[in-house]
Amino acid sequence: MSPKSLQGTDYPEIREEVIKLCKQYPGEYWRKLDREMAYPSEFVKALADAGYLAALIPEEYGGSGLPLSASAAILEEIQRAGCNGAACHAQMYIMGALLRHGSEAQKQQYLPGIASGELRLQAFGVTEPTSGTDTGALKTVAERRGDRYVVNGQKIWTSRAEHSDLMLLLARTTPRDEVTRGIDGLSIFILDMNAARAAGGLAVRPIRTMMNHSTTQVFFDDVEVPAENLIGEEGRGFRYILSGMNAERILIAAECIGDAKWFIERARDYANERVLFGRPIGQNQGVQFPIAKAYAQMRAAELMVHHAAKRFEAGENVGEQANIAKMLAADASWAAAEVAVQTHGGFGFAEEYDVERKFRETRLYQVAPVSTNLILSYVSEHVLGLPRSY
């Protein structure tokens, strides 16, 4: 089996170019960043300069105008090369809210800069310490005062906030006791983080985690946002971000497929090369079968990711497909990670092999951006029609 047998056949030219770019950032580059918990600025700039982060932005705004499946192919190959697309993947899907629901003036103001890489829109301010996935319980408030909104509150698990120029911010614009449902009365804004920092109202504090994910908590103290930075209609923000979450799930699922392929390739190669008792360890079925099973699991999840992407591109409602694709792909990448560690034995824990780093990174997708349990709850209630669980 050649290395290319694990490579997808869709968008072969794009995949080959992404592979070439990623070869410039080998394991040594990522290990150094991981030790220092540093942001891969050079890698992100290279992706932006090559136009990959602007894949979904229409050509009239400086992007490539490619379909979601092309972006999925880009992220898959980044992960398959052993790199980490999580450092910048949000640049692809966060701008979807602006593209779908923003005004033409907003698109003209921000999308060309995002497409060129001049502006980084990588921070998504949603989760709060007391709400978690209960979005309707958000407490961050944006109060309208004349021609501006004044924001007060706190966000947590906001990745890349230290390295982003802009944030897509979800805040409450109508008090909770004045709406029927908690998800009503929420609005989204484009926040100029540089201006907010300069004014002294925005504070960003890093959170050290088990993987180098550049995650933070963000504090808003009378942060002023121009009224023209409101995206769409006031109070409809939750509906707007929902439309982007399906794209996010599909793209993250593609990353998981890339991770799974990386782990499977590494396990296969090591099993062929490692000789004990005069023969390769891969000659033992106890080593072979787990790798083969991980491969089969990855292939099945890959089909679901492609299916979800195609339906998304056709404009269909893909809540079921996107969520299932994300869950299956995350499960496949985690299963492949465990196989890679087991195959490598003690060397699986050695930094120089990169298995332990990727093991930590891919574990995240069992939890975020949506946990496996929440996906199962969604499928139970909204697909199978089972009673809502509490």
Side-chain angles (χ1 to χ4, degrees), residues 1 192 219 281 292 302 330 369:
M1 182 173 62
D192 185 331
F219 300 86
I281 63 171
E302 184 180 40

Side-chain angles (χ1 to χ4, degrees), residues 251-281:
L251 292 176
I252 295 295
E255 288 191 8
C256 291
I257 296 300
D259 275 347
K261 291 180 179 181
W262 185 90
F263 285 117
I264 292 166
E265 286 182 342
R266 287 302 179 97
R268 176 203 61 193
D269 293 346
Y270 188 80
N272 281 326
E273 296 164 3
R274 177 66 164 163
V275 175
L276 287 176
F277 304 106
R279 63 180 187 176
I281 63 171

Side-chain angles (χ1 to χ4, degrees), residues 8-9 47 107-108 111 132 181 260-261 298 330:
T9 56
L47 289 176
K107 295 175 188 177
Q108 293 287 352
L111 287 178
R181 301 179 302 167
K261 291 180 179 181
M298 176 274 293

Side-chain angles (χ1 to χ4, degrees), residues 212-262:
N212 182 20
H213 204 66
S214 302
T215 197
T216 67
Q217 51 185 332
V218 184
F219 300 86
F220 306 88
D221 184 10
D222 287 339
V223 173
E224 295 189 359
V225 182
E228 59 263 29
N229 284 29
L230 171 71
I231 295 180
E233 299 178 28
E234 186 178 286
R236 296 181 62 83
F238 183 76
R239 296 171 180 82
Y240 296 157
I241 66 169
L242 272 183
S243 64
M245 285 181 176
N246 288 330
E248 176 191 45
R249 283 153 174 60
I250 294 168
L251 292 176
I252 295 295
E255 288 191 8
C256 291
I257 296 300
D259 275 347
K261 291 180 179 181
W262 185 90

Side-chain angles (χ1 to χ4, degrees), residues 13-21 46-56 64 66 71 74 78 92 115:
E13 296 86 1
I14 291 177
R15 290 176 182 271
E16 289 293 342
E17 292 304 313
V18 173
I19 291 169
K20 290 178 184 177
L21 186 152
L47 289 176
D49 290 346
Y52 294 126
L53 300 186
L56 295 174
S64 303
L66 294 173
S71 291
I74 291 168
I78 289 172
M92 287 189 176

Side-chain angles (χ1 to χ4, degrees), residues 17-228:
E17 292 304 313
V18 173
I19 291 169
K20 290 178 184 177
L21 186 152
C22 288
K23 285 181 178 178
Q24 302 172 44
Y25 302 90
E28 295 87 346
Y29 174 81
W30 296 99
R31 289 196 290 272
K32 184 175 186 296
L33 292 171
D34 191 60
R35 289 186 216 110
E36 301 171 358
M37 299 294 281
Y39 186 76
S41 299
E42 300 86 356
F43 177 69
V44 173
K45 184 178 186 304
L47 289 176
D49 290 346
Y52 294 126
L53 300 186
L56 295 174
I57 296 177
E59 293 183 73
E60 59 263 37
Y61 301 112
S64 303
L66 294 173
L68 186 73
S69 54
S71 291
I74 291 168
L75 290 174
E76 179 191 318
E77 292 302 329
I78 289 172
Q79 300 301 115
R80 195 180 75 90
C83 300
N84 189 357
C88 50
H89 58 198
Q91 186 107 342
M92 287 189 176
Y93 57 75
I94 290 178
M95 66 84 204
L98 172 62
L99 184 61
R100 286 186 291 271
H101 306 291
S103 67
E104 183 59 31
Q106 289 172 333
K107 295 175 188 177
Q108 293 287 352
Q109 181 178 357
Y110 295 112
L111 287 178
I114 295 170
S116 69
E118 179 185 354
L119 292 175
R120 287 183 183 171
L121 173 58
Q122 296 180 11
F124 195 11
V126 177
T127 306
E128 297 182 0
T130 59
S131 65
T133 52
D134 183 7
T135 307
L138 293 186
K139 295 180 180 178
T140 296
V141 173
E143 180 185 352
R144 180 71 182 257
R145 298 180 188 173
D147 62 352
R148 67 191 189 283
Y149 288 85
V150 178
V151 180
N152 285 282
Q154 178 185 356
K155 299 293 180 180
I156 198 169
W157 308 121
T158 306
S159 298
R160 301 163 297 275
E162 290 182 293
H163 309 283
S164 188
D165 300 299
L166 305 172
M167 172 188 285
L168 188 68
L169 172 66
L170 183 68
R172 182 164 294 285
T173 47
T174 303
R176 176 65 181 86
D177 58 7
E178 295 181 16
V179 295
T180 303
R181 301 179 302 167
I183 58 174
D184 295 328
L186 300 174
S187 303
I188 54 173
F189 302 86
I190 288 286
L191 171 65
D192 185 331
M193 298 184 70
N194 296 323
R197 288 189 189 99
L202 184 71
V204 179
R205 299 178 187 171
I207 301 174
R208 288 189 67 87
T209 59
M210 67 183 284
M211 76 290 290
N212 182 20
H213 204 66
S214 302
T215 197
T216 67
Q217 51 185 332
V218 184
F219 300 86
F220 306 88
D221 184 10
D222 287 339
V223 173
E224 295 189 359
V225 182
E228 59 263 29

